[in-house]
Amino acid sequence: MHEVEQLIGGRWAPGTGGRALTITDPRDGHPVTRVPVASEADVAAAVRAARDAAPEWARTAPAARAAAAHSAANAIEAAAGELAEIMASEMGKPVDGARDSILAGVGTLRQYAELGPVHRGRSLAGDAGAIDLMAHRPRGVVAVITPWNDPVAVSCGLLGAALVTGNTVVHKPSERTPATGWRLARLIAPHLPEGVLNVVHGDAPAGAALAGGAVDLVAHVGSTATGRSIAAACARTGAKALLENGGSDPLIVDAGVDPVWAAGQAALGAFANSGQICVAVERIYVHREVAGAFVEALADEADDWGKRIGPLVDRRLRDIVHQQVRAAVRDGATLVRGGTIPDAPGAWYPPTVLTGCADDMPVMREETFGPVAPVLVVDSFDEALDRAADSPYGLAATVLTPSMSNAQCAWRELPAGTIKINAVFGGAPGGAAHPRRGSGQGFGYGPELLDEMTVTAVAHLEAPPTGW
């Protein structure tokens, strides 16, 4: 059993909340973590500690901040195996996959350590002897609220970008993975001055207290409902809201593609991490020309993935996923694979394939955070584009097509922040993301995230008049 503490002003302590949560292992239901819930006073104290540390950290040379980030990355890499075990016990991802995601976070942290010192503004020439300088400055105190589905990698990105640009941080890890966040902070904090990194734990009230506190930016990765609450809180306080929220990402399978290869891509997108990925494939539009062979191959993929995926994070989420599947079947969809709750401890749910789906089914319209692949057959690429675009979300989309013309249409017309052609995952190192609609606002990752974490100061400089 992990006993988690808060980090406020360089000191680890349980806090003053008087309430605690117990986290259970989704693989078998046994308790693994006890976490004290931060009180409003704890959150306020963490924000004050970050505010007190902010001036000195902002004055610290960018190279020194980068060196601290590099040292923290080394410490996380050395402890990746231990972190993976904790992460697997709290959210269910198999240990090997958890370790891979942690090492991806290490790579992201190192990227920001390299990018921080070269983050720069621009200059504009005015009259003779005059110049305008545009320089980046830290925003001040950044609240970082991170999710359970990829707790280390997401945290490394947001914490890294905030710290290398000279901000101080109050981090609230997800209440579902508090020991993972606690151990991560234990690895990072020794490389920073006291108060630069603070950590509070808890559920929705603690998150609301932090988002509505005296901070300058709130960076949140999580659900759309929570993101909207954070945006409202920031509107009241004047803080900037940086949000990556829910999605219902479409996959279009065009005519002319190899249906077996396409099924492999669809399965990877829908079933990896048991479907608990922000940019997972949530709805599939397949051209009638290849639909039969595609569905058959996707069913085989589901059988194979069923041997190696982990459970969902908890039974509450599993019940929500199962309700969406049952509603689809009740409304006319055909269950090809999966769709049943196993008689076993934990929160397991099998890879599930549905055909005959309709646009208005919750499994197609809402976010389904589980290993479910709902399929709708279309008669043309244009029909697929129209259906894919009809969504309240705008996080990402994938198009599998042999046609460069259709690929061009897709990335120009689909209202999503990231359009992936012929690969459900991947992308260049340091690539950015810019969600739309109900999926959030602002840049996540990439050099652009450094811009989000800073403000721009414009200085107009002129030489003094002659004769002084």
Side-chain angles (χ1 to χ4, degrees):
M1 175 78 79
H2 301 290
E3 296 287 344
V4 171
E5 293 181 308
Q6 328 274 350
L7 173 62
I8 299 175
R11 294 174 178 81
W12 292 96
T16 64
R19 185 166 65 93
L21 304 173
T22 298
I23 310 305
T24 57
D25 190 325
R27 297 171 294 189
D28 58 18
H30 83 274
V32 292
T33 303
R34 184 181 180 277
V35 53
V37 175
S39 65
E40 289 190 12
D42 293 333
V43 173
V47 172
R48 285 196 302 272
R51 184 69 66 192
D52 290 345
E56 186 63 31
W57 185 242
R59 287 191 293 267
T60 300
R65 298 196 298 251
H70 272 303
S71 296
N74 292 338
I76 297 167
E77 183 176 34
E82 176 199 355
L83 261 179
E85 294 283 354
I86 298 172
M87 180 173 156
S89 72
E90 289 190 317
M91 57 79 61
K93 189 167 188 171
V95 172
D96 287 347
R99 189 174 189 278
D100 288 344
S101 71
I102 289 164
L103 293 178
V106 169
T108 301
L109 183 53
R110 285 184 174 140
Q111 285 178 12
Y112 285 123
E114 294 294 328
L115 289 170
V118 297
H119 185 230
R120 60 186 182 184
R122 60 190 176 94
S123 61
L124 297 172
D127 295 335
I131 192 170
D132 281 10
L133 302 177
M134 298 174 64
H136 295 294
R137 291 179 177 171
R139 287 184 176 272
V141 177
V142 175
V144 174
I145 302 174
T146 52
W148 52 261
N149 62 318
D150 202 358
V152 175
V154 172
S155 298
C156 282
L158 293 175
L159 294 176
L163 292 169
V164 301
T165 48
N167 298 283
T168 55
V169 173
V170 181
H171 180 206
K172 193 195 90 65
S174 168
E175 63 270 28
R176 198 61 187 77
T177 52
T180 307
W182 162 76
R183 187 67 184 106
L184 179 66
R186 285 277 191 183
L187 295 166
I188 296 174
H191 306 282
L192 301 168
E194 289 185 357
V196 171
L197 174 64
N198 304 272
V199 180
V200 295
H201 295 283
D203 45 13
L210 179 56
V215 299
D216 302 291
L217 183 150
V218 182
H220 170 254
V221 176
S223 73
T224 294
T226 301
R228 286 175 174 159
S229 296
I230 288 171
C234 290
R236 292 190 293 270
T237 64
K240 178 183 176 65
L242 179 62
L243 309 173
E244 183 193 297
N245 298 149
S248 181
D249 292 359
L251 169 69
I252 295 174
V253 182
D254 198 6
V257 303
D258 177 347
V260 175
W261 168 78
Q265 288 289 306
L268 176 63
F271 304 146
N273 202 27
S274 300
Q276 301 169 124
I277 301 176
C278 298
V279 291
V281 168
E282 302 262 359
R283 49 198 171 105
I284 300 169
Y285 304 96
V286 57
H287 196 286
R288 193 173 302 277
E289 177 185 297
V290 296
F294 171 82
V295 170
E296 182 179 347
L298 184 57
D300 291 340
E301 288 281 351
D303 292 338
D304 183 58
W305 276 88
K307 304 169 187 174
R308 48 197 169 100
I309 66 171
L312 298 187
V313 69
D314 56 33
R315 291 193 171 197
R316 182 193 63 82
L317 176 60
R318 184 181 69 179
D319 289 345
I320 293 171
V321 170
H322 188 55
Q323 287 166 11
Q324 290 184 332
V325 171
R326 290 182 63 188
V329 173
R330 185 182 61 243
D331 293 341
T334 299
L335 192 61
V336 178
R337 286 292 190 279
T340 58
I341 293 178
D343 183 16
W348 299 87
Y349 199 76
T352 297
V353 179
L354 294 163
T355 59
C357 296
D359 292 313
D360 59 353
M361 292 177 176
V363 78
M364 296 289 284
R365 191 73 184 166
E366 300 173 8
E367 185 173 38
T368 303
F369 222 53
V372 180
V375 179
L376 190 157
V377 177
V378 297
D379 291 308
S380 69
F381 185 77
D382 287 343
E383 180 189 352
L385 277 185
D386 289 343
R387 291 179 183 274
D390 182 17
S391 172
Y393 298 103
L395 192 55
T398 304
V399 176
L400 308 180
T401 178
S403 166
M404 284 303 297
S405 176
N406 286 349
Q408 290 277 354
C409 288
W411 74 260
R412 292 180 186 277
E413 297 179 17
L414 284 174
T418 302
I419 314 297
K420 298 167 283 185
I421 307 298
N422 293 330
V424 294
F425 296 138
H434 196 275
R436 304 182 192 177
R437 297 179 170 178
S439 293
Q441 61 190 37
F443 279 101
Y445 300 105
E448 293 80 3
L449 181 54
L450 299 179
D451 295 336
E452 301 281 8
M453 294 288 181
T454 54
V455 293
T456 301
V458 179
H460 176 74
L461 304 178
E462 291 194 19
T466 57
W468 280 20

